[in-house]
Amino acid sequence: GAVVSQHPSRVICKSGTSVKIECRSLDFQATTMFWYRQFPKQSLMLMATSNEGSKATYEQGVEKDKFLINHASLTLSTLTVTSAHPEDSSFYICSAISSGVVTEAFFGQGTRLTVV
Amino acid sequence: SQQGEEDPQALSIQEGENATMNCSYKTSINNLQWYRQNSGRGLVHLILIRSNEREKHSGRLRVTLDTSKKSSSLLITASRAADTASYFCANTGGFKTIFGAGTRLFVKA
């Protein structure tokens, strides 16, 4: 299947700093990628839809100024958590859709963010 | 709420028993996927069932889909301790992938 690479897998940052997470589709072009957040013992919640060459679409309740998304190429989307606070500590996962015979979502390995 | 419902929320069984998890979704589907997640880890894709399919098998896994009821089930037969994980259904309906609430499965050795 298609491969989506997410980096870094773990990051610890100080409160008030910004953290950038990268999501790459390695063997296919993804005009659209998605970013999810998962708190402990909960499911994955869609945060935003990242569109190549245009602005991201955010889900209700997600602060767009807090979570900056850039999708500069067909294989790379980045999520920047700005002015991180401890409550932003979470597991962030990206996905990309491969639109072949069957539309299927492929997921990155996830990034564990800890804000101290 | 984004999520469909998944039941049970938690399931504890003995090794060798079968485990059944159910998922209901809210919107129309393109296909439905089931994922497994070990604690603190990424997602492992288990099986995809298309909207025009009713049942699919993969090894010890059996997935059914009832589009009239907007529901799906995942059956794991002859469970093993290593099957202990959280299981999520994900609805790729049209465009976005929306996850169910998940079932936490614990298989006792």
Side-chain angles (χ1 to χ4, degrees):
Chain A
V3 177
V4 174
S5 175
Q6 188 173 338
H7 178 81
S9 59
R10 289 179 178 271
V11 58
I12 299 173
C13 71
K14 291 185 177 180
S15 189
T17 62
S18 296
V19 173
K20 181 185 283 187
I21 303 169
E22 293 187 348
C23 180
R24 294 179 184 273
S25 57
L26 296 186
D27 50 2
F28 66 102
Q29 293 184 332
T31 55
T32 305
M33 294 184 176
F34 302 92
W35 288 96
Y36 296 82
R37 177 171 56 186
Q38 184 182 34
F39 291 108
K41 298 183 181 179
Q42 294 187 25
S43 186
L44 286 79
M45 298 297 294
L46 179 64
M47 297 174 66
T49 302
S50 171
N51 305 298
E52 188 269 334
S54 64
K55 291 182 179 180
T57 305
Y58 290 82
E59 296 298 306
Q60 192 173 8
V62 178
E63 301 174 59
K64 59 183 65 177
D65 294 331
K66 173 80 171 174
F67 300 99
L68 300 180
I69 291 172
N70 184 276
H71 195 152
S73 76
L74 287 172
T75 59
L76 174 64
S77 174
T78 61
L79 168 68
T80 300
V81 183
T82 63
S83 187
H85 290 282
E87 56 264 32
D88 298 323
S89 298
S90 188
F91 193 58
Y92 294 87
I93 304 180
C94 69
S95 79
I97 298 291
S98 173
S99 298
V101 176
V102 177
T103 299
E104 187 174 348
F106 295 93
F107 288 84
Q109 307 94 317
T111 297
R112 172 74 57 193
L113 170 63
T114 303
V115 184
V116 298
Chain B
S1 170
Q2 288 183 7
Q3 300 171 318
E5 296 180 358
E6 213 150 330
D7 78 272
Q9 292 185 346
L11 179 61
S12 181
I13 59 174
Q14 289 292 142
E15 203 166 32
E17 293 181 340
N18 295 340
T20 300
M21 290 160 270
N22 303 298
C23 158
S24 62
Y25 53 92
K26 295 183 176 182
T27 62
S28 61
I29 64 168
N30 185 346
N31 58 56
L32 195 115
Q33 299 175 84
W34 282 89
Y35 292 87
R36 165 199 168 116
Q37 185 182 37
N38 286 68
S39 181
R41 307 290 291 274
L43 297 172
V44 175
H45 182 257
L46 295 177
I47 196 165
L48 178 152
I49 186 165
R50 303 185 195 192
S51 59
N52 61 352
E53 296 176 315
R54 292 296 167 258
E55 188 172 312
K56 203 161 183 180
H57 296 256
S58 176
R60 294 185 295 115
L61 305 180
R62 172 177 169 256
V63 168
T64 63
L65 178 64
D66 187 336
T67 53
S68 67
K69 296 180 180 178
K70 292 189 175 180
S71 67
S72 176
S73 68
L74 170 67
L75 168 67
I76 303 175
T77 60
S79 65
R80 305 166 182 167
D83 293 330
T84 294
S86 292
Y87 292 83
F88 298 95
C89 68
N91 172 7
T92 305
F95 197 58
K96 299 177 183 179
T97 298
I98 302 298
F99 284 83
T103 295
R104 295 173 64 198
L105 174 66
F106 180 66
V107 181
K108 293 176 280 189

